[in-house]
Amino acid sequence: MLNIYHSIIDLNEYLDKARLAGKSIGFVPTMGALHAGHISLIEESSRQCDVTVCSIFVNPTQFNDPSDYTKYPRNIESDKIILENTGCSCLFVPDAKEIYPDESFKHITFDPGPIGMILDGAHRPGHFAGMAAVVKRLLDIVVPDKAFFGQKDYQQYLIVKMMTAYYQMPVEILKCPTVREKNGLAMSSRNQRLSPDEREQAAMIYKTLTWAAHEISAGNLSFETIEKQAMFDLMANGKYNVDYFDICSAETLEKLNFNKNNEPLAILTAVWIRDVRLIDNILV
Ligand code: AMP
């Protein structure tokens, strides 16, 4: 049975009982409009923990673009049905007052430094500050043993890991693989805003990432040439705009020109299809 809580007090009463009974708690924070990507995190949490809490909160402070916030898909009733059918024990659906009783909760002292200023940090000013503050607030409320994040938002995952280390929070942050449509398009709540044709065309994003990974392994082209060719290919149909297509260190996200230390790499991209912005990445 799915327990649904709107208030912190009610959620804590439930979680305190679970903790007293010796149960471990897994947490999956989301903004709702749930899809198979979210479900995979909930299933992983259910495998690893006795109780799984999923939160749904469309956090206004992490949207740098107000129209993106307004247009963000919200399907709370169908989300509840989806959660009923997974191993999720508990849904936490707070309103903004519960999360932000006053302005001070919207800001935290943690600053991710350079990793927060590149890629999505450069293109979405304020996004990671808002994201880190809400994730901290949610982790302070739920106090899970483990929290599960998707590789799809790889930069977010790295920043959350840094943030929890900075505050010495007693939580393990885990990364789960990106779940994709059959054509390779990374699942995203924002995909709902694409037409069926656009969804088909958007398969190009993953294809281009895979091509770049292949070229890196082949070692014939410089990283700069691969990035330029990928941007060119993505924009060739005249329908896409590309914020970035970068080959980076998987650990620091520092952009690399060549892999002199043979370190793990991440290829990350953000692509606009009309007014819908999609991000994706692969690790090499
Ligand atoms: P969101 O609701 O978009 O804020 O995402 C909530 C969590 O689900 C984040 O940890 C995301 O990285 C993760 N997530 C979103 N899409 C996917 C996907 N396609 N595969 C795996 N995880 C995902």
Side-chain angles (χ1 to χ4, degrees):
M1 193 193 90
L2 179 70
N3 298 281
I4 301 176
Y5 300 108
H6 297 273
S7 78
I8 297 170
I9 292 184
D10 292 343
L11 174 72
N12 276 337
E13 200 181 309
Y14 168 84
L15 290 176
D16 284 349
K17 275 192 203 137
R19 272 187 210 101
L20 271 175
K23 296 193 168 163
S24 58
I25 293 165
F27 180 41
V28 180
T30 81
M31 298 204 296
L34 300 180
H35 51 69
H38 298 115
I39 303 306
S40 74
L41 305 188
I42 291 165
E43 286 175 348
E44 188 54 33
S45 172
S46 309
R47 272 191 287 274
Q48 296 197 27
C49 304
D50 301 316
V51 166
T52 290
V53 181
C54 170
S55 66
I56 295 182
F57 178 62
V58 185
N59 175 37
T61 68
Q62 72 188 66
F63 285 83
N64 53 309
D65 171 1
S67 85
D68 187 28
Y69 175 66
T70 318
K71 289 182 189 159
Y72 198 85
R74 290 162 172 87
N75 309 336
I76 189 69
E77 290 314 316
S78 55
D79 286 350
K80 285 180 190 165
I81 295 168
I82 290 172
L83 290 173
E84 294 272 5
N85 295 320
T86 69
C88 189
S89 332
C90 168
L91 168 63
F92 179 45
V93 211
D95 66 14
K97 277 222 173 73
E98 199 70 3
I99 296 296
Y100 302 121
D102 64 55
E103 286 295 305
S104 68
F105 287 87
K106 293 184 178 168
H107 310 283
I108 57 175
T109 51
F110 165 73
D111 175 352
I115 198 173
M117 291 187 275
I118 51 177
L119 303 164
D120 259 28
H123 289 273
R124 300 186 67 192
H127 166 65
F128 285 125
M131 180 284 293
V134 81
V135 171
K136 173 159 194 312
R137 176 78 175 127
L138 288 166
L139 290 172
D140 284 343
I141 292 168
V142 177
V143 199
D145 299 285
K146 299 183 181 189
F148 297 81
F149 291 82
Q151 186 196 313
K152 194 192 70 98
D153 300 273
Y154 186 63
Q155 192 173 9
Q156 163 176 290
Y157 157 76
L158 290 177
I159 292 174
V160 168
K161 250 180 113 72
M162 282 173 74
M163 191 264 293
T164 53
Y166 173 87
Y167 290 112
Q168 300 185 323
M169 299 174 107
V171 59
E172 193 182 336
I173 303 296
L174 291 119
K175 168 169 68 65
C176 300
T178 302
V179 176
R180 299 179 179 282
E181 308 273 2
K182 271 207 190 83
N183 67 8
L185 172 64
M187 294 214 176
S188 163
S189 304
R190 287 189 176 87
N191 293 353
Q192 288 186 17
R193 296 185 47 214
L194 301 175
S195 70
D197 272 359
E198 287 170 334
R199 272 195 193 211
E200 244 354 279
Q201 291 158 9
M204 177 80 186
I205 300 170
Y206 183 57
K207 270 201 199 109
T208 309
L209 284 168
T210 322
W211 169 82
H214 178 80
E215 288 304 329
I216 290 172
S217 305
N220 297 325
L221 301 175
S222 72
F223 287 3
E224 196 186 347
T225 307
I226 296 172
E227 289 165 349
K228 277 199 181 136
Q229 184 65 47
M231 302 264 283
F232 180 83
D233 289 348
L234 282 166
M235 292 195 274
N237 68 6
K239 290 187 180 151
Y240 301 164
N241 259 319
V242 183
D243 275 352
Y244 56 81
F245 189 104
D246 285 352
I247 302 169
C248 303
S249 149
E251 209 176 299
T252 61
L253 296 189
E254 184 195 343
K255 197 162 147 55
L256 299 177
N257 294 325
F258 46 90
N259 193 4
K260 68 169 186 281
N261 299 326
N262 219 3
E263 59 181 305
L265 301 175
I267 317 171
L268 303 102
T269 189
V271 178
W272 288 91
I273 298 180
R274 232 180 342 100
D275 62 340
V276 184
R277 186 175 185 275
L278 303 176
I279 58 171
D280 199 355
N281 66 80
I282 51 178
L283 301 177
V284 186

